[in-house]
Amino acid sequence: MNIGLDMMGGDYAPLEAIKGLKLFLDEYTGPVTLFCIGQQENFTSLLEEHKIDQSRIKVINAPEVIGYHEHPAKALKEKQQSSIAIGFHLLSSGKIDAFASAGNTGAMLVGTMYTIKAIEGVQRPTIATVIPKLNGTTGLLLDVGLNVDCKPEHLNQFAVLGNLYAQKVLGIDKPTVGLLNIGEEEGKGNQLAQTTYPLLKENASINFIGNVEGRDLIQNKADVVVCDGFTGNVILKMAETIYDIAVHRKLEDDQYLHRFHYENYGGTPILGVAKPVLIGHGISNDVAFKNMILQAVKMVESDFCNIIKSAFHSEKVD
């Protein structure tokens, strides 16, 4: 198994990427090679300093870097020797099995859509986030920002993608699926919610339990909750704020509140594309990088992308 890691992505790169790489290699003993992609002169000495096992990595020099404030499409086109561009080339050519970066989010999305592309039958790939629940389990919310304006058939596909991810990667047996709404009763909500509901209700490939409200997200009502990207992103940013408040009030050691820390989840997978791509938070620390690599490994080990291909081919999800 070969995993590509952008060494130049993130506010604290390449140091935190190196430290995260070390944590991963110390924890994961399976057969994996990490392709470390970035400006070689900026991190090779760190590999030695942190005693990285050289037999388990391969350094790929990428002399250019795409900054956070650069135009994604323009930067990818003009910086073919950047860590992100080279990472996608390695992924599309089959030299690596997954690619993870905490770099320019827009560039990662553009690279994914134009290099890796959506699985046949998937109208719109989506991004999801894990939601900590009060009972100690985790749930999944999608979309959280990739698709601001959605149609009912998009949300129906998000439900299928989220259901598969919950099963195959999060390990949730027979996940339940809910539609985020302003009330529990069928017929509630705006036009999008009202027209999505019957599609989910008739979808035999998911276990749809009906509408769920915002207060249900942290309860054990639904394992997977579907919404448009505008709503999902507002919820995601609010969840991040909860942790910020906890830190400000010195409550970050609370067992439940700590689960809102981004580092626990590493990166956001793009669901519905042909190969595993993970996008990390710009402020990723070593633990976040470790967990992002672990998540990439899980997606490869579970053969997740091929599972999606099979599902959309056999079920003909619209």
Side-chain angles (χ1 to χ4, degrees):
M1 182 194 324
N2 297 321
I3 305 295
L5 179 64
D6 178 7
M7 306 304 292
M8 311 312 295
D11 293 346
Y12 309 111
L15 178 59
E16 293 302 315
I18 294 289
K19 291 163 62 179
L21 178 62
K22 174 65 174 174
L23 291 175
F24 168 78
L25 292 174
D26 286 346
E27 179 175 325
Y28 185 83
T29 58
V32 62
T33 299
L34 273 296
F35 281 54
C36 301
I37 310 163
Q39 293 176 323
Q40 189 172 345
E41 69 274 13
N42 288 334
F43 70 86
T44 49
S45 62
L46 291 172
L47 292 171
E48 297 177 3
E49 180 182 333
H50 290 271
K51 297 180 173 59
I52 302 297
D53 185 351
Q54 301 287 318
S55 68
R56 301 181 69 188
I57 68 168
K58 184 173 182 178
V59 175
I60 305 295
N61 188 40
E64 297 178 312
V65 176
I66 295 177
Y68 279 107
H69 301 295
E70 293 189 64
H71 187 278
K74 185 173 183 288
L76 267 180
K77 182 178 180 180
E78 295 179 352
K79 293 185 174 182
Q80 289 294 299
Q81 294 302 305
S82 64
S83 52
I84 291 179
I86 290 177
F88 278 115
H89 172 72
L90 293 171
L91 185 61
S92 63
S93 61
K95 292 183 175 62
I96 58 177
D97 302 304
F99 179 45
S101 173
N104 186 304
T105 300
M108 287 295 292
L109 292 173
V110 170
T112 301
M113 298 308 298
Y114 288 95
T115 305
I116 306 305
K117 300 183 179 179
I119 289 170
E120 184 178 358
V122 176
Q123 296 180 13
R124 289 191 184 181
T126 179
I127 54 177
T129 189
V130 170
I131 298 293
K133 293 181 178 291
L134 286 171
N135 67 352
T137 63
T138 55
L140 195 70
L141 176 70
L142 69 168
D143 184 278
V144 291
L146 186 54
N147 302 283
V148 176
D149 296 306
C150 296
K151 296 179 180 179
E153 52 268 30
H154 299 149
L155 267 62
N156 191 35
Q157 289 197 343
F158 296 167
V160 175
L161 292 168
N163 178 69
L164 289 171
Y165 188 80
Q167 289 183 59
K168 306 301 181 181
V169 180
L170 298 183
I172 301 174
D173 186 40
K174 298 179 182 178
T176 53
V177 178
L179 174 64
L180 190 63
N181 210 328
I182 60 171
E184 295 182 354
E185 303 85 1
E186 185 173 354
K188 283 278 190 174
N190 57 15
Q191 184 175 0
L192 176 62
Q194 291 178 21
T195 50
T196 299
Y197 192 102
L199 293 181
L200 297 177
K201 188 176 181 179
E202 296 167 8
N203 191 336
S205 65
I206 62 172
N207 180 17
F208 181 57
I209 53 92
N211 290 324
V212 297
E213 298 179 89
R215 62 186 176 187
D216 298 321
L217 287 173
I218 60 173
Q219 302 293 337
N220 195 31
K221 186 164 185 179
D223 298 305
V224 178
V225 178
V226 179
C227 63
D228 63 272
F230 183 94
T231 304
N233 192 261
V234 171
I235 293 172
L236 174 62
K237 297 299 171 59
M238 185 64 184
E240 292 176 347
T241 302
I242 290 174
Y243 184 76
D244 290 340
I245 293 171
V247 171
H248 180 71
R249 298 181 65 86
K250 304 186 186 305
L251 299 172
E252 68 268 28
D253 290 333
D254 178 89
Q255 186 175 4
Y256 175 68
L257 292 176
H258 179 70
R259 295 178 65 214
F260 281 89
H261 198 324
Y262 75 91
E263 70 175 18
N264 296 307
Y265 311 107
T268 298
I270 303 179
L271 306 181
V273 295
K275 296 187 178 183
V277 177
L278 292 104
I279 302 174
H281 204 297
I283 60 172
S284 289
N285 61 12
D286 55 350
V287 177
F289 274 104
K290 180 202 74 170
N291 286 327
M292 182 163 58
I293 301 170
L294 283 171
Q295 194 174 15
V297 168
K298 286 181 182 179
M299 292 185 73
V300 175
E301 287 182 334
S302 66
D303 200 23
F304 182 69
C305 292
N306 282 326
I307 288 172
I308 293 177
K309 289 177 185 177
S310 298
F312 276 74
H313 175 73
S314 62
E315 299 293 338
K316 292 183 172 57
V317 180
D318 297 320

